[in-house]
Amino acid sequence: MFMYLPIALTSVNYMVVMGLGLFVGLLSGLFGVGGGFLMTPLLMMIGIPPTIAAATDANQIVAASASGTLAHWRLGNVDFKMGLYLLVGGFMGGAGGVQVIKILRATGGADFLIKMTYVVMLGLVGAFMFVESLNAMRKNKATAGGAPEAAPVKKSGGLLSKLPMQTVFEKSGVTHSAILPVALGTFVGVLAAIMGVGGGFLMVPVMIYMLRMPMHVVVGTSLFQIMFTCTEVTFLQAYSNHTVDFLLALLLLVGSVFGAQIGTILGRKLQGEQLKILLSILVLAVTVKIILELVMEPTLLLAYAGGH
Amino acid sequence: MVGTKISTNGLFSFLAGILFVVMALPAAQAQALSCKVAPNDIPINLMYNGATLTITGVSAPGDDLIVKVSSETTDVHLKYKGKASGLFWMKMGGMEFKNVPNIYMLYSTGSIDTLLNADGRTANMIGYDAIRAGVEMERSDGTEVEAKWFEEFLKFKKTEELYLSKEGSIVRKQGATDNTYSLTVDWPFQAPPATYTVDVLAVRDGKVVDKSSAPFTVAQAGIVKQLSGMAFNNSALYGFVAVVIAMVAGFAVGAVFKGGGSH
């Protein structure tokens, strides 16, 4: 039941690791998030060093997101045009975020910034999604029984509609300036690089609330974008830092690719608002865990170097 | 008459003495402290989850034994946690513990404080106090390191199962010609590849009277060695393969689920 990991230099119960992969893959298929914000702490809990956990997680997300993207593509849920614009922004933001972290590490303020970004961003995103979904579910109940309205093509309002390069995103049924998804992609890329995650949990709310994309297209498009982001991260981490444990990734991806498929099937049985409220509860739970870790004295006051 | 009697008695005593020495010789030879560790080489292969070490040898019947399994002393670099802004616990900086063994496992036939005097413990690095006596602690920002941080270091190492101190687990068999001991050690998988040493000390009246040691090696083997070598020596190929396999696996499973996953 045990397998030795050559880069993490530790032995793990492979059933437990595959189980973790299945669980996080399920969330990935269900919500369109890579699950990095959840998987990295889970791996650290079973004894994987933080730097190896973060880098290897990116490797397994490549598999889970590829599996999920294919499933969503078959369902017609991937807006490739929007995904590419977000990806361009994401790559630029990621490169910028890495530089910010380098400067902060040199000045000694990186750890504080990372933790605070986690708490603030997860807390804001989770709380906003929770309240918004709750209101939407109430509204749906109130209007239940009425004739369904035809979905119009949504457009950016106010100043955003005056931006140049207005583009129609047919699959999502929205019209925005191409600058908007690139800028939002950059913003998420910066935060994702600071936090050391793929950024799916940030990208999903950005697509829903700022780009006004329908939930079913958001999940597929987010997975498409995450697949490329994590491909870049995996290669760079393996090449520069030697922190990708391929055997660990293999165990995780065995679970996660199946989990992603099950998640996609499950997602079709749930309504958009139900999905959003479940994701918000998950994000808020992780936020509470991080806050508790910050304010409660840890059992061990020493730790290996690396990680958050 | 008396003289003859004395002479006969003396001869008898002399012969009995020789007989005793001859009979006792193999036993005396067997009582010289020895140490053997099995296996000598521990391969870290794919299914490795630590190992069981068996340490055996011969010792004098009256002596107590202390067995130390350890690595060479080195400098251990860790991060320390503290309260930032008086409110949040987080990693504050680096802390170096110099001249400490990475692995330290101690077994004895009794309490080491009573078996061996303080000088003997320090000279042979027996017990956590002996490690404390030789350690140098440095903080990355150059500020003074309080003594309590060594306790934190011990706590960290014990949690990692890399430091251990245990009394009474050495099994001794004392026969007429043969006095043996044996010890079974659960070797932790957390111990990195290196050459380690088993030191056995025979102690009597608070002093070391005999020493014996045996080395053993822990090394990566098979696919573990190949993957590790590729990750460090051919990292671009390693990264490329990791990405391609993940992507192919993802798409392959996606294709398998075709019937159930789509309309």
Side-chain angles (χ1 to χ4, degrees):
Chain A
M1 297 284 270
F2 288 92
M3 190 176 270
Y4 189 81
L5 306 172
I7 309 299
L9 299 179
T10 189
S11 176
V12 289
N13 183 323
Y14 55 80
M15 294 305 285
V16 171
V17 177
M18 284 195 285
L20 289 181
L22 188 80
F23 172 65
V24 177
L26 196 124
L27 299 179
S28 180
L30 207 53
F31 303 124
V33 295
F37 70 101
L38 202 62
M39 181 61 97
T40 304
L42 285 174
L43 287 176
M44 282 158 63
M45 273 168 61
I46 61 162
I48 308 297
T51 46
I52 312 277
T56 305
D57 189 24
N59 192 188
Q60 77 84 21
I61 293 172
V62 171
S65 54
S67 172
T69 301
L70 189 65
H72 280 279
W73 171 68
R74 281 208 209 94
L75 297 170
N77 290 348
V78 183
D79 188 335
F80 288 104
K81 193 173 175 183
M82 183 68 88
L84 283 172
Y85 281 114
L86 289 167
L87 201 57
V88 169
F91 274 131
M92 291 195 301
V98 168
Q99 293 309 312
V100 171
I101 283 292
K102 258 189 187 171
I103 295 163
L104 282 165
R105 281 206 197 285
T107 56
D111 205 36
F112 188 77
L113 179 89
I114 289 164
K115 290 273 184 190
M116 286 299 116
T117 310
Y118 252 103
V119 170
V120 172
M121 292 312 297
L122 284 173
L124 279 178
V125 167
F128 181 73
M129 280 181 80
F130 185 80
V131 173
E132 206 269 348
S133 306
L134 214 58
N135 286 339
M137 281 169 86
R138 278 193 197 132
K139 209 184 274 179
N140 285 350
K141 257 188 193 167
T143 57
E149 291 171 26
V153 172
K154 296 167 194 164
K155 283 189 169 189
S156 306
L159 279 175
L160 291 177
S161 64
K162 292 186 174 65
L163 284 172
M165 300 168 73
Q166 289 292 324
T167 311
V168 179
F169 296 90
E170 293 88 1
K171 180 68 78 180
S172 301
V174 293
T175 301
H176 295 296
S177 162
I179 297 168
L180 187 63
V182 173
L184 290 172
T186 308
F187 169 71
V188 172
V190 170
L191 289 176
I194 289 172
M195 296 164 76
V197 293
F201 77 98
L202 291 171
M203 193 59 92
V204 167
V206 159
M207 288 186 199
I208 297 170
Y209 301 112
M210 304 193 80
L211 296 173
R212 303 189 157 276
M213 292 163 64
M215 186 65 188
H216 65 281
V217 181
V218 164
V219 176
T221 311
S222 171
L223 285 173
F224 168 74
Q225 187 252 347
I226 286 168
M227 182 174 72
F228 286 98
T229 312
C230 288
T231 294
E232 182 202 19
V233 171
T234 302
F235 183 79
L236 289 178
Q237 291 279 24
Y239 183 69
S240 314
N241 301 328
H242 316 292
T243 45
V244 174
D245 197 308
F246 179 61
L247 277 185
L248 176 61
L250 212 59
L251 291 176
L252 288 171
L253 72 85
V254 166
S256 71
V257 287
F258 287 102
Q261 293 293 330
I262 297 165
T264 306
I265 296 165
L266 263 179
R268 281 160 50 204
K269 296 187 190 336
L270 293 169
Q271 289 171 6
E273 299 310 327
Q274 288 173 324
L275 278 177
K276 274 192 255 177
I277 211 156
L278 283 176
L279 177 60
S280 66
I281 290 169
L282 187 73
V283 169
L284 286 173
V286 175
T287 313
V288 170
K289 183 188 167 281
I290 295 171
I291 292 172
L292 287 177
E293 276 176 4
L294 280 170
V295 295
M296 289 169 73
E297 184 171 348
T299 322
L300 292 175
L301 293 178
L302 290 169
Y304 287 115
H308 298 159
Chain B
M1 195 64 184
V2 172
T4 310
K5 196 175 182 181
I6 290 169
S7 171
T8 308
N9 283 346
L11 184 66
F12 181 75
S13 299
F14 176 71
L15 288 173
I18 287 176
L19 190 66
F20 176 78
V21 168
V22 169
M23 283 179 72
L25 197 58
Q29 278 174 342
Q31 284 163 10
L33 186 67
S34 72
C35 165
K36 198 174 147 192
V37 59
N40 282 117
D41 296 299
I42 300 175
I44 298 180
N45 46 35
L46 196 58
M47 296 299 158
Y48 179 71
N49 185 39
T52 302
L53 282 178
T54 308
I55 299 162
T56 52
V58 179
S59 68
D63 296 344
D64 274 293
L65 295 175
I66 298 172
V67 179
K68 180 175 77 171
V69 185
S70 63
S71 59
E72 291 266 311
T73 55
T74 183
D75 299 342
V76 177
H77 185 80
L78 297 170
K79 292 272 185 187
Y80 69 94
K81 294 176 190 172
K83 267 194 167 181
S85 314
L87 193 61
F88 301 120
W89 286 95
M90 51 185 64
K91 288 177 188 169
M92 306 293 282
M95 196 177 275
E96 200 155 25
F97 296 84
K98 294 183 173 177
N99 201 31
V100 290
N102 204 16
I103 306 284
Y104 186 83
M105 302 166 96
L106 198 65
Y107 302 85
S108 55
T109 49
S111 163
I112 52 159
D113 290 340
T114 50
L115 291 184
L116 189 58
N117 62 34
D119 289 345
R121 292 198 300 271
T122 306
N124 295 287
M125 204 184 257
I126 299 299
Y128 297 138
D129 285 339
I131 301 174
R132 189 197 318 265
V135 70
E136 279 178 51
M137 298 184 284
E138 265 180 28
R139 220 188 284 259
S140 55
D141 62 5
T143 54
E144 196 187 339
V145 181
E146 304 87 345
K148 70 155 190 168
W149 284 102
F150 184 74
E151 299 309 317
E152 289 297 328
F153 174 76
L154 288 181
K155 201 176 7 163
F156 176 77
K157 282 286 188 183
K158 285 177 191 172
T159 308
E160 289 284 300
E161 294 183 32
L162 298 176
Y163 274 32
L164 174 147
S165 182
K166 212 170 174 182
E167 285 172 25
S169 44
I170 301 170
V171 178
R172 309 189 77 178
K173 265 190 196 164
Q174 302 197 356
T177 57
D178 186 63
N179 303 285
T180 62
Y181 70 89
S182 69
L183 169 67
T184 304
V185 173
D186 289 325
W187 184 249
F189 65 80
Q190 293 93 333
T195 297
Y196 297 91
T197 310
V198 176
D199 291 300
V200 183
L201 307 182
V203 289
R204 196 187 307 147
D205 302 327
K207 288 178 183 167
V208 176
V209 291
D210 206 352
K211 287 183 190 180
S212 182
S213 64
F216 66 97
T217 305
V218 179
Q220 293 187 336
I223 194 165
V224 171
K225 189 180 178 182
Q226 285 169 356
L227 278 174
S228 180
M230 188 180 172
F232 286 92
N233 304 324
N234 205 346
S235 52
L237 180 67
Y238 181 86
F240 180 74
V241 169
V243 166
V244 168
I245 290 183
M247 218 171 253
V248 168
F251 285 134
V253 173
V256 168
F257 269 74
K258 192 175 179 179
S262 61
H263 292 293

